[in-house]
Structure formats: structure tokens, C-alpha cells
């Protein structure tokens, strides 16, 4: 049994859904309260025992690396002023994982991004965590950890799944197959952004994966798909056609796609209410705001 030690975070895209902000600041650095999205993603990986992370970036997104780079002057200043809570936040990831990066020279889809990680993964299984998506778990086990439990049992590819209303299925890759348990799917088909009536079910692939290194041979022969991009679901279908087993885990939690403006707004409220120092005042303000709107008053 191989231990999962590596993770890949694709973060090369332009973030066009969040323009004009993303023109100057990578969408992965959008803050939820006071912490960039990417830091939540990396922490999820670190909390699940990941030791090495590869960031897939593009030209102009080098600032993503600064989030985790040492800042000795800032750290010394915080320590000198006894601002230990801020110091702990700044150093939250320090020493837990090794972070490196590689450029995706051609922005040709998620499959193209993952192919850039072939040398990094070598012969090891690896996780994929979308860099613009925060996953909130309803249990003490992070969402990646929920996938990891199934991977350790199957030693096969595992992807996170979530139930999605039929009218929204066209936005996602959708998996179909045989339910082995209420939260485990033996994946037999995947359709990327299906047209009405084409979806094999109501379970959307949800921004967290664990793959075995055989996927790289499949990516190598994957033709451009929807949008002219190399689609990871297309490579996964080739993997299954070659006899590879793929499982889906219906995770217990909530996905926040921070590249989507409405999802970002919801996440901002959720994460703000989780903070004990803000919860009471923020909740009261939200309630008053809603009341005034219902009464037709200016807010």
C-alpha cells in the first residue's frame, strides 16, 4: 500500500469569472475574512498528512508563492509586540509541507495542468485540490481526508462527488455508475458539462481527487475536448477503458467555488459567522439588514 504524500494544486487560470479583480490579483488570493483562499486549500492538504505540494501556476501568478514564503521581518515584529495570534496565522503552514511550483505554459484545461505534474508525482499517488475552491467539512475529517479513507481501502482513483440540482448539472462534470454504499459510487461513466438529458446522474465531480500515476499515460493521449481543452474527465474515461477502477465519494460538507461571485458571497457570510469575535455582531447586522430590505427601507 502506497501512502498519499503528494498533492497538486492547479492555479494557473486567469480567473475571468472574477474580473476585473483577477486582472491584478490571482483569484486564489481572494480573502475569506482575513485568510486567502489558497491558504485554506493548503491547510486542508496538510491536515490530511500531505508532505509535498506542487502549485501549477502561470506567468504573473508568482505572488501565490509569497503566501507561504518566510517573512522573517514581519514574524520578528509580531513576536516583539507579543501579537502571537497573528504570528500563528502567518506561520500556520510553515514546516508542515514543502511547496514548489511549475509553470503551465499553455492554459489548456485542468487535464493540461495536471499533466505538468508528471515529474513531481513520479510513481506515487497524488491528490488534486482545486486552488479556488474551499471545502467545508461537516465532520472532524476534512473533505480530502474523507476521500483518503476510501483510497486506502481501494488503492484506486477516488473523486469527491456532491448532489447537484438537475438544472445546474450543465456546469460540472457528472459521474454515473453503481452505488456501493449511500456515499460511495463505483464510477462507470463521466460526462463533462452535459447537455440537458445527457447527465448520467445527479452527482457532480467536486474539486477534490486522488489519482494514481497511470493517469499521465491517459492524459498523454487525451484529445482536446469541450472548449478545446484537455479535460480530466476525458482522461479518466480512457483510464477506465483500460481497466482502471474509479470510485466517487459523496462528501459530507459544503463546496465553496470562490471563482463564482455568488458562491464567494455565501462563503464570506459563512466564514464570518464562524469567527467567534464577529459572530454575534455580524449575525445581528445581517438580520437587521434583511428586515430593512423586507420593509423596503434603504440599507
Amino acid at each position: 500500500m502506497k501512502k498519499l504524500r503528494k498533492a497538486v494544486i492547479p492555479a494557473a487560470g486567469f480567473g475571468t469569472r472574477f474580473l476585473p479583480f483577477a486582472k491584478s490579483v490571482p483569484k486564489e488570493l481572494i480573502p475569506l475574512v482575513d485568510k486567502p483562499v489558497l491558504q485554506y486549500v493548503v491547510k486542508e492538504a496538510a491536515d490530511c498528512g500531505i508532505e509535498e505540494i506542487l502549485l501549477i501556476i502561470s506567468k504573473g501568478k508568482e505572488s501565490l508563492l509569497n503566501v507561504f514564503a518566510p517573512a522573517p521581518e514581519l514574524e520578528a515584529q509580531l513576536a516583539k509586540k507579543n501579537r502571537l495570534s497573528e504570528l500563528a496565522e502567518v506561520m500556520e503552514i510553515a514546516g508542515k509541507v514543502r511547496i514548489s511550483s511549475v509553470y503551465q505554459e499553455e492554459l489548456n484545461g485542468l487535464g493540461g495542468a495536471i499533466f505538468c505534474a508528471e515529474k513531481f508525482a513520479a510513481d506515487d499517488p497524488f491528490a488534486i485540490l482545486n486552488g479556488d475552491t474551499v471545502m467545508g467539512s461537516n465532520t472532524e475529517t476534512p473533505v480530502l481526508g474523507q476521500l483518503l479513507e476510501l483510497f486506502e481501502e481501494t488503492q484506486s482513483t477516488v473523486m469527491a462527488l456532491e448532489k447537484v440540482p438537475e438544472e445546474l448539472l450543465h456546469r460540472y462534470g457528472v459521474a454515473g455508475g453503481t452505488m456501493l454504499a449511500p456515499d460511495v459510487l463505483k464510477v462507470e461513466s463521466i460526462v463533462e458539462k452535459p447537455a440537458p438529458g445527457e447527465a448520467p446522474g445527479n452527482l457532480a465531480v467536486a474539486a477534490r481527487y486522488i489519482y494514481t500515476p497511470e493517469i499521465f499515460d491517459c492524459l498523454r493521449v487525451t484529445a482536446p475536448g469541450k472548449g478545446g481543452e484537455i479535460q480530466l474527465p476525458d482522461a479518466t474515461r480512457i483510464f477506465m477503458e483500460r481497466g482502471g477502477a474509479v470510485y466517487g465519494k459523496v462528501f459530507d460538507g459544503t463546496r465553496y467555488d470562490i471563482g463564482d461571485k455568488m458562491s464567494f458571497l455565501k462563503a464570506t457570510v459563512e466564514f464570518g459567522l464562524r469567527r467567534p469575535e464577529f459572530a454575534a455582531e455580524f449575525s445581528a447586522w445581517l438580520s437587521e439588514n434583511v428586515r430593512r430590505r423586507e420593509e423596503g427601507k434603504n440599507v
Side-chain angles (χ1 to χ4, degrees):
M1 181 185 296
K2 284 202 170 185
K3 181 183 177 183
L4 184 69
R5 301 181 301 105
K6 300 177 180 179
V8 176
I9 299 179
F14 289 124
T16 53
R17 292 180 297 166
F18 231 96
L19 289 172
F21 178 87
K23 180 181 178 182
S24 57
V25 181
K27 62 180 177 178
E28 294 84 5
L29 296 186
I30 293 172
L32 288 180
V33 187
D34 53 6
K35 187 184 301 184
V37 166
L38 184 61
Q39 189 165 337
Y40 288 97
V41 177
V42 169
K43 184 177 186 302
E44 179 185 350
D47 288 346
C48 294
I50 296 296
E51 300 170 4
E52 300 178 59
I53 291 177
L54 180 69
L55 288 176
I56 311 294
I57 65 173
S58 55
K59 299 293 185 182
K61 300 190 76 171
E62 293 83 1
S63 57
L64 295 177
L65 301 174
N66 294 337
V67 176
F68 311 105
E73 292 183 1
L74 172 62
E75 294 161 11
Q77 185 75 354
L78 292 172
K80 180 180 179 180
K81 294 187 176 183
N82 203 36
R83 298 176 64 174
L84 302 184
S85 60
E86 290 99 328
L87 179 61
E89 290 287 342
V90 168
M91 301 186 67
E92 182 179 44
I93 307 300
K96 292 184 178 180
V97 291
R98 295 189 296 276
I99 299 176
S100 58
S101 66
V102 66
Y103 286 104
Q104 183 180 1
E105 301 293 345
E106 180 183 2
L107 301 186
N108 57 349
L110 178 58
I114 301 308
F115 193 62
C116 296
E118 183 176 22
K119 183 177 179 180
F120 167 79
D123 295 326
D124 297 321
F126 62 99
I128 302 171
L129 301 91
N130 288 13
D132 60 359
T133 303
V134 175
M135 306 293 262
S137 176
N138 292 334
T139 75
E140 293 183 358
T141 304
V143 170
L144 180 60
Q146 296 175 34
L147 271 62
L148 180 56
E149 291 172 355
L150 184 56
F151 171 77
E152 290 176 342
E153 176 184 340
T154 63
Q155 288 289 290
S156 299
T157 294
V158 179
M159 53 184 59
L161 301 176
E162 68 172 338
K163 294 180 180 178
V164 170
E166 183 176 356
E167 63 271 17
L168 299 180
L169 290 173
H170 68 279
R171 298 181 181 180
Y172 307 102
V174 181
T178 301
M179 296 301 299
L180 304 180
D183 60 350
V184 176
L185 177 76
K186 177 67 186 306
V187 178
E188 295 162 0
S189 63
I190 305 176
V191 179
E192 178 67 16
K193 297 180 179 177
E198 289 185 355
N202 68 341
L203 295 175
V205 181
R208 298 291 186 269
Y209 319 76
I210 299 173
Y211 275 93
T212 56
E214 290 81 6
I215 193 62
F216 293 109
D217 286 336
C218 301
L219 283 166
R220 190 171 283 107
V221 298
T222 299
K226 290 200 173 181
E229 298 181 335
I230 305 299
Q231 301 289 352
L232 187 58
D234 293 342
T236 304
R237 280 198 299 273
I238 294 173
F239 174 71
M240 291 189 291
E241 289 167 0
R242 294 179 174 183
V246 178
Y247 296 88
K249 174 72 173 182
V250 183
F251 68 92
D252 187 2
T254 304
R255 166 170 61 167
Y256 300 99
D257 177 1
I258 307 303
D260 176 80
K261 294 173 185 176
M262 180 56 70
S263 184
F264 163 70
L265 291 172
K266 292 177 180 179
T268 298
V269 172
E270 285 282 347
F271 281 73
L273 291 174
R274 291 180 188 179
R275 295 281 290 267
E277 69 268 39
F278 303 134
E281 183 179 353
F282 190 29
S283 179
W285 180 85
L286 288 170
S287 297
E288 176 65 13
N289 187 283
V290 170
R291 184 188 66 78
R292 291 175 63 85
R293 284 188 177 278
E294 289 175 345
E295 294 175 354
K297 297 178 181 180
N298 293 330
V299 294

